[in-house]
């Protein structure tokens, strides 16, 4: 027997909107829209300058794929968010375990979609950095972002990410948008939580980098990079939304036995 889609179905479609901010939660400045003044400047520079900036930008966001720490945080906090939602609480009473089943189905898709979108962010960052940073500044920043110290600090910050506000907002309203202030809060809170467990050797490397012109330039570019980050985070992809919808419907139908076709 066909049934109309229940009210608790709709928040699942917001899953794809959550992945952007999670991917961006790296301890690094980031850049958005690709239509900045840096685009014209980049085209006038030698290819090696842009290539170097692209490599630096990729390292700064942890590469084009989500790391295991961030995926773990996504999973745990998505489950917590759905478990606190009244519609999902009601759904769990009728179909115990359905929330976990749906998260297990859609999270790999959300991760893959984020990985597919990340190169666009890296390219926009590269355009900004190629236009605004010197070759020496890019080289110094690249050395820092490729260091074991940065990798350890980044993983530590990822494990301390608190994405609960964004997740709650997205579950409550699939049209909700992430602000620059939201991303600042996530990064700053994560950094504060991570300081106490930072190894002394890593702290020393970070302090040395913070005294360089490269660090100063990244700080000066932070408002531009945060703007780009926010734009990228809030971009819609209709194909990804449709795929997420299909996966969510299939997971729900297989677990509950309901027919959710219109």
């Amino acid at each position: 027997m066909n049934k109309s889609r229940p009210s608790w179905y709709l928040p699942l479609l917001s899953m794809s909107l959550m992945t952007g901010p999670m991917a961006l939660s790296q301890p690094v400045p980031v850049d958005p829209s690709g239509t900045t003044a840096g685009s014209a400047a980049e085209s006038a520079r030698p290819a090696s300058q842009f290539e170097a900036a692209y490599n630096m930008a990729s390292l700064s966001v942890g590469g084009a794929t989500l790391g295991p720490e961030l995926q773990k945080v996504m999973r745990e906090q998505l489950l917590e968010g759905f478990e606190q939602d009244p519609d999902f609480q009601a759904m769990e009473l009728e179909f115990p375990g359905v929330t976990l089943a749906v998260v297990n189905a859609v999270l790999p898709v959300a991760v893959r979609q984020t990985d597919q979108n990340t190169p666009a962010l890296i390219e926009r960052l590269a355009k900004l950095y190629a236009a605004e940073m010197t070759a020496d500044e890019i080289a110094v920043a690249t050395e820092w972002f490729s260091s074991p110290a940065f990798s350890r600090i980044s993983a530590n910050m990822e494990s301390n990410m608190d994405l609960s506000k964004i997740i709650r907002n997205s579950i409550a309203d699939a049209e909700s948008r992430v602000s620059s202030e939201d991303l600042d809060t996530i990064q700053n809170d994560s950094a504060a939580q991570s300081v106490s467990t930072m190894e002394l050797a890593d702290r020393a490397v970070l302090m040395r980098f913070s005294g360089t012109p490269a660090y100063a330039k990244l700080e000066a570019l932070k408002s531009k990079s945060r703007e780009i980050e926010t734009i990228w985070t809030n971009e819609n992809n209709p194909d990804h939304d449709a795929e997420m919808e299909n996966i969510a419907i299939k997971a729900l139908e297989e677990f509950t036995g309901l027919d959710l076709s219109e």
Side-chain angles (χ1 to χ4, degrees), residues 122-138:
I122 295 171
E123 182 174 358
R124 296 169 191 180
L125 280 168
K127 289 178 180 178
L128 176 68
Y129 297 149
E132 301 289 347
M133 298 178 72
T134 68
D136 287 344
E137 288 168 346
I138 291 173

Side-chain angles (χ1 to χ4, degrees), residues 173-184:
D173 179 9
E175 300 300 321
S176 67
R177 296 177 67 82
V178 178
S179 68
S180 296
E181 291 74 18
D182 290 332
L183 299 182
D184 281 336

Side-chain angles (χ1 to χ4, degrees), residues 5-11 87:
R5 294 175 183 175
S7 61
W8 41 256
Y9 157 78
L10 295 175
D87 289 332

Side-chain angles (χ1 to χ4, degrees), residues 133 136-138 140-141 209 212-219:
M133 298 178 72
D136 287 344
E137 288 168 346
I138 291 173
V140 170
F209 174 62
T212 65
Y215 178 87
K217 182 62 68 67
L218 288 172
E219 286 294 297

Side-chain angles (χ1 to χ4, degrees), residues 51-145:
E51 290 168 359
Y54 189 96
N55 182 47
M56 187 202 84
S58 179
L59 290 167
S60 77
V61 300
T65 59
L66 289 176
E69 290 295 335
L70 205 48
Q71 291 189 42
K72 180 181 178 182
V73 166
M74 287 171 65
R75 177 182 173 80
E76 292 173 350
Q77 296 186 15
L78 283 171
L79 282 171
E80 290 173 3
F82 284 125
E83 287 169 356
Q84 294 170 10
D85 180 73
D87 289 332
F88 277 86
Q89 289 174 357
M91 180 171 61
E92 276 290 328
L93 288 176
E94 187 173 1
F95 303 104
V98 66
T99 304
L100 177 61
V102 171
V103 170
N104 285 342
V106 300
L107 185 55
V109 180
V111 170
R112 174 173 53 76
Q113 289 180 354
T114 301
D115 291 347
Q116 291 173 346
N117 290 339
T118 300
L121 172 65
I122 295 171
E123 182 174 358
R124 296 169 191 180
L125 280 168
K127 289 178 180 178
L128 176 68
Y129 297 149
E132 301 289 347
M133 298 178 72
T134 68
D136 287 344
E137 288 168 346
I138 291 173
V140 170
T142 299
E143 182 179 5
W144 159 246
F145 291 131

